[in-house]
Amino acid sequence: MTFVEAKDALNACNLPGLSGYAPPQTSGDTLRVVWEVRKYQLRLGYGAVPKFLGIFQSGLSEKISVINEANCKSELVSLLFSDSGLLNVFMELWRHESMQHAQASREASRSAKEWRRTVNEAAELSISFDTQYMRVLPDSGWK
């Protein structure tokens, strides 16, 4: 599969995306860092990805703001969509200081009204949703 970064949506939230990403300076235990991949399989059709991106972008700033206000050490690193292979796949890539921060950010985002509306509308375009958590190897630059 080939993925394309959704740069317009990232730019709208003042996020640099993968090419500009640098892990935060942390005094914590980098072995506790968790990466989360949230994957949506969208319905077939040429308009599914652009429509999903429009819906998703409409609530994303509020979600990020609520997570930051709750002092969750979680950050959105990238938004990606498939361009070849299995089509109409959309992914979010998040970095969390720990599993506790991952859960706290999920709970915080549920309080965002616009984000809740976004999730409901996005679900109508989705066939399935999957979340995976990963830890990095100790020598990895992705701390």
Side-chain angles (χ1 to χ4, degrees):
M1 253 189 293
T2 304
F3 285 89
V4 175
E5 195 163 41
K7 292 185 181 201
D8 289 343
L10 292 165
N11 289 338
C13 296
N14 297 315
L15 297 172
L18 289 170
S19 63
Y21 178 74
Q25 296 297 321
T26 179
S27 59
D29 181 1
T30 57
L31 294 178
R32 294 183 67 213
V33 170
V34 176
W35 286 85
E36 178 184 14
V37 177
R38 301 170 62 86
K39 183 172 81 173
Y40 305 78
Q41 176 62 59
L42 306 180
R43 292 188 322 226
L44 293 178
Y46 288 116
V49 170
K51 186 172 183 180
F52 186 88
L53 271 169
I55 291 167
F56 201 84
Q57 187 175 332
S58 71
L60 188 57
S61 290
E62 182 192 30
K63 177 182 182 176
I64 292 169
S65 178
V66 165
I67 288 170
N68 290 339
E69 288 170 12
N71 205 23
C72 300
K73 293 183 180 173
S74 298
E75 58 185 333
L76 178 61
V77 174
S78 188
L79 300 171
L80 304 151
F81 57 90
S82 60
D83 191 46
S84 68
L86 184 60
L87 295 178
N88 292 1
V89 174
F90 180 84
M91 293 192 313
E92 300 172 67
L93 178 61
W94 289 83
R95 181 194 181 278
H96 308 283
E97 284 290 314
S98 67
M99 278 303 295
Q100 290 80 10
H101 285 286
Q103 294 301 25
S105 95
R106 273 188 132 167
E107 290 172 16
S109 69
R110 291 180 186 136
S111 69
K113 283 184 178 183
E114 186 64 24
W115 180 247
R116 290 171 61 99
R117 182 201 57 77
T118 295
V119 168
N120 287 334
E121 287 185 31
E124 293 176 18
L125 289 173
S126 302
I127 296 170
S128 65
F129 173 74
D130 179 59
T131 299
Q132 295 181 4
Y133 293 99
M134 298 171 283
R135 295 204 189 269
V136 296
L137 295 171
D139 293 334
S140 171
W142 286 80
K143 303 278 185 226

